[in-house]
Amino acid sequence: MTGPGEEPFIAAVKPLVDAIGGEMLPPDEAGPDDVVLSWEGVDAVAVRLPQLADSLDHILAAMERRQGRPLAELDRKAKQEVVRTLEARGAFSVRHGVETVASALGVSRFTVYNYLNREKGA
């Protein structure tokens, strides 16, 4: 998968690929929707981007890891902050985004909409 000098590049981009929920693969296995990254003029690695819905699940899991506990166990203020962060990242433009977030937070869709509307009115 790598040639000389490419390993540091791949190691450098891996945290970003992991953060977005992507998958790294050899450049010669790249499909038409994959992103091929070059290093010093040579194709070093291909990145398969996740589907948007998978990205939301990945983002929610990462937020849960950062919080150190299930998002449903957070207090109301912390849940509102999660909703603000997710809105800034476009989570609610994904089909069933509100439902997915509501489920992760252990609240109703109505509550998520209230959190979103509270932000717009503030």
Side-chain angles (χ1 to χ4, degrees):
M1 180 161 133
T2 61
E6 293 174 15
E7 290 84 1
F9 174 74
I10 291 170
V13 299
K14 186 175 183 339
L16 175 61
V17 173
D18 290 347
I20 63 170
E23 176 187 353
M24 297 173 77
L25 53 144
D28 59 347
E29 293 180 20
D33 294 330
D34 297 332
V35 178
V36 177
L37 303 177
S38 297
W39 179 250
E40 297 179 346
V42 178
D43 290 346
V45 66
V47 177
R48 180 154 298 151
L49 300 173
Q51 299 297 311
L52 285 176
D54 295 338
S55 292
L56 179 54
D57 289 338
H58 189 81
I59 291 166
L60 287 166
M63 293 180 94
E64 204 162 78
R65 282 192 304 276
R66 275 196 296 276
Q67 295 288 338
R69 59 187 166 154
L71 297 177
E73 293 179 4
L74 300 175
D75 63 26
R76 183 172 52 85
K77 185 174 181 181
K79 288 179 181 182
Q80 289 171 338
E81 183 61 34
V82 166
V83 168
R84 276 194 295 275
T85 300
L86 291 169
E87 183 180 29
R89 294 186 72 177
F92 302 111
S93 63
V94 175
R95 186 170 185 212
H96 303 300
V98 171
E99 291 87 349
T100 301
V101 171
S103 176
L105 293 176
V107 300
S108 69
R109 291 179 323 175
F110 180 75
T111 298
V112 172
Y113 284 118
N114 278 342
Y115 292 168
L116 289 167
N117 290 333
R118 182 170 290 126
E119 278 307 299
K120 288 177 177 53

